[in-house]
Every structure is written in C-alpha cells, then in structure tokens.
Amino acid sequence: MKKSRILRSDFWVIRKMLKIGVIGFQGDVIEHIEAMKKAIELHKRHGTVLWVRKKEDLADLSALIIPGGESTTISRLIERRGMRDSIIEMAENGVPIMGTCAGCILMAKVGDEEVIRSDTRLLSLMDMEVQRNAFGRQRESFEADIEIEGIGKFHAIFIRAPLIKRVWGKCKAMAYVDEGIVMAVQGNLLAMAFHPELGQDYRIHHLFLQMI
Ligand code: GLN
C-alpha cells in the first residue's frame, strides 16, 4: 500500500489556526465576517473571524479587515480607542491588512480636499492617493464587471465609492474602471474601492487568505 506522505508545509497549513479580525465599529462588518468564514471553509483552512472593537482585540491577529462604512467615523474611533499605532505596527510587521471602500480610503497616504476637510486621519499605509466619494451623484452607487489581476472577471459593487487617483513606489494597481484605479496591492496590504463582501463571490477573501 502506498502511503501518502504529509509534508511539513502541509502540516503547518493543517495546524495553523487563523485569527482574522474585522474592525467593527460600523459599516458592513457582519458581511465581511461571513464572507471570510465562507472563504476559510471553502478552502479548508481553520480559523476564527472576530469583531475588533478595542485595542486588545488586535493582539495575535493573523490578518485584519477594515470594512466599508464612513471613513471619518472609523478613523475617529480607531484614534479614540488607541488602535492607530498598533494597526500601523501590524502593517510594518507584515500582517496582511485589507481595506474596502471606507477602509480603502484609510489605507492611503494621501487624500483629497474632502478627506482633509473632514479631518479624517489616514493610516498612511499604502503609496496611493485617494479621492473620497469620487463618482458623484449620477454614479453614487453602481455595479461593474471589472478585470482583476490574478483573479479575472469580477462583479464589483460600488457604494459612494472612492477612487484610487494614483499609486507609486511599491503600490501596484490591480483593477480599473473607466474613471481610474479601483484596487491596489502593496506587499501585505490590499485595498479596493468596492465591496467584495457583498455577493457570493469569495475570491477576493480567498486571495487575502493566501497572503497570510
Ligand atoms: N463614502 C464613504 C466614505 O467616504 C465610503 C462609502 C463606503 O464605504 N461604502 O467614507
């Protein structure tokens, strides 16, 4: 009988319990938790996904998601709960962080006048400039089939979305709409202007999972 060998790397994947946090002050938190759980289940990984509301919740996380919602409110609460420095430190230590929509804004180094006027303090993690509410009234919310590098065609949902105006340095654009860049990656950091947690396509959560 032929025995199948378990490689050390397989063993590591089997054993490693992932602990993924979603910043949970407001916005589409539950949707991200559910999508992440689905991606974990579909790809036979093991782990938990939890709400992050205070600094202590950030301890030992394998990855962190900053959801959509209202970027000014999320940034204020991150600041008020003393979580800002810990998140920056996590990013520097290579912990994967994914920011979607409002979260995408917070990942950026540079914001537009609206970001400045609203006193939103960016986490300044990625070499990119964002424009808040970039699509104007006509296109406030819309859906579009976009082409994502490494994933392929993806049905993306935009809700009062920002646009990534430009990327530089180690930050690379991954997807576009006519107006500009809507998804970018920089090492362990991932940002997108749309909502990958809405709908039943878990490929972006899976991609994020693979970054861990
Ligand atoms: N317009 C919101 C902001 O600027 C983002 C919208 C969203 O996350 N769906 O913060």
Side-chain angles (χ1 to χ4, degrees):
M1 193 178 73
K2 191 170 176 276
K3 275 194 202 155
S4 60
R5 278 182 47 207
I6 294 180
L7 302 172
R8 282 193 72 160
S9 57
D10 292 339
F11 200 58
W12 174 245
V13 170
I14 293 164
R15 289 286 305 278
K16 190 165 164 45
M17 262 304 266
L18 303 173
K19 193 174 152 198
I20 300 167
V22 181
I23 298 277
F25 302 134
Q26 53 115 244
D28 43 357
V29 185
I30 293 172
E31 292 83 351
H32 263 301
I33 292 179
E34 291 305 320
M36 203 67 238
K37 281 185 179 166
K38 265 278 184 324
I40 288 175
E41 190 188 309
L42 279 170
H43 297 279
K44 305 202 170 28
R45 303 285 294 264
H46 299 278
T48 51
V49 190
L50 35 106
W51 290 70
V52 172
R53 290 199 187 88
K54 49 188 194 308
K55 195 175 168 183
E56 298 73 58
D57 298 336
L58 291 168
D60 314 319
L61 287 185
S62 343
L64 178 70
I65 296 175
I66 309 176
E70 223 272 328
S71 49
T72 308
T73 311
I74 298 174
S75 83
R76 285 207 183 121
L77 285 161
I78 285 177
E79 192 104 3
R80 205 173 299 158
R81 307 257 165 117
M83 291 157 72
R84 189 184 151 83
D85 290 347
S86 310
I87 295 173
I88 295 171
E89 201 179 302
M90 283 164 72
E92 284 168 0
N93 290 339
V95 176
I97 303 181
M98 170 163 82
T100 65
C101 203
C104 171
I105 298 173
L106 298 181
M107 299 290 279
K109 285 201 175 153
V110 182
D112 65 334
E113 309 90 72
E114 205 182 322
V115 170
I116 297 163
R117 215 180 320 120
S118 60
D119 227 8
T120 305
R121 194 153 172 226
L122 303 178
L123 290 165
S124 295
L125 302 177
M126 294 175 72
D127 296 335
M128 61 184 195
E129 179 181 340
V130 289
Q131 183 187 353
R132 195 176 176 187
N133 298 325
F135 294 91
R137 281 187 185 265
Q138 298 288 336
R139 251 159 90 78
E140 207 162 68
S141 296
F142 64 98
E143 301 184 11
D145 287 323
I146 57 172
E147 188 68 33
I148 302 177
E149 205 185 303
I151 287 186
K153 203 169 166 196
F154 191 90
H155 188 73
I157 299 171
F158 296 81
I159 304 168
R160 301 198 73 216
L163 195 62
I164 300 171
K165 294 295 281 182
R166 72 189 167 97
V167 294
W168 64 92
K170 295 198 175 102
C171 188
K172 301 280 171 263
M174 289 179 76
Y176 299 83
V177 290
D178 292 345
E179 291 83 349
I181 306 167
V182 290
M183 183 166 176
V185 63
Q186 182 173 338
N188 53 315
L189 310 171
L190 197 60
M192 68 222 69
F194 52 94
H195 288 262
E197 74 287 2
L198 304 178
Q200 259 97 56
D201 191 339
Y202 308 109
R203 285 176 296 162
I204 291 183
H205 286 81
H206 180 224
L207 175 81
F208 185 55
L209 208 52
Q210 287 173 309
M211 289 166 69
I212 303 173

